[in-house]
Amino acid sequence: MLAGDGSDGWAAVGGAAGPGGIQPASCDLIADSSALQGIGQISRRADSLYDEQSYSDAYALLDAAPRTADTLWRKARVCKELGDAAKASGQKQREKELVLEGFQLAEAALELDDSNFGCHKWYAILTSLVSEFEGTK
């Protein structure tokens, strides 16, 4: 594999600017990279809010974020915590709504990336919680 032969995501563009005339094969690669950096920042901020127990703020941040496996499992995790808070304040119906929302989010995260540990972890946790409401049938 040689830089510029197209097999590495780069393409030689006859005489184009750039070292050795090599430019990205697709501007999409650059856009994807920027998007991934943005998702990384959102994930780190959501993790900080979660650690600070600012669950409502984390939920709002993740609600506005693009739907990726990482943002979805984090939002599922926040739903579980908000559900625990609802349970502690006697709001059983609100707890159920949040647990079911979290389960759906974890399920969607798994569909996007079934090799992501966080997706599996929160899917399992929320599956257990859903079974408390709906049984195991």
Side-chain angles (χ1 to χ4, degrees):
M1 174 165 53
L2 302 172
D5 71 356
S7 64
D8 60 353
W10 290 83
V13 179
I22 300 173
Q23 292 197 0
S26 168
C27 290
D28 291 342
L29 293 175
I30 295 170
D32 288 347
S33 175
S34 296
L36 289 176
Q37 285 180 335
I39 296 301
Q41 290 172 341
I42 291 168
S43 295
R44 284 188 296 280
R45 181 66 183 137
D47 290 345
S48 292
L49 290 168
Y50 181 84
D51 291 342
E52 296 165 8
Q53 298 180 354
S54 297
Y55 304 127
S56 294
D57 292 338
Y59 184 94
L61 173 69
L62 293 165
D63 201 39
R67 290 178 59 90
T68 68
D70 284 326
T71 58
L72 291 175
W73 75 253
R74 282 176 170 84
K75 190 173 174 188
R77 172 179 71 172
V78 169
C79 284
K80 186 265 185 204
E81 296 299 337
L82 291 171
D84 287 350
K87 180 179 182 178
S89 65
Q91 299 174 348
K92 193 72 170 167
Q93 184 58 36
R94 182 68 181 139
E95 175 197 10
K96 181 179 179 179
E97 291 167 2
L98 286 161
V99 166
L100 291 174
E101 178 183 356
F103 174 76
Q104 292 168 347
L105 291 165
E107 190 172 43
L110 264 179
E111 289 174 8
L112 290 174
D113 184 0
D114 68 355
S115 65
N116 185 312
F117 172 78
C119 299
H120 284 279
K121 176 181 176 178
W122 289 98
Y123 180 79
I125 290 168
L126 287 154
T127 297
S128 175
L129 293 172
V130 166
S131 72
E132 292 177 18
F133 293 107
E134 296 185 352
T136 56
K137 283 187 177 184

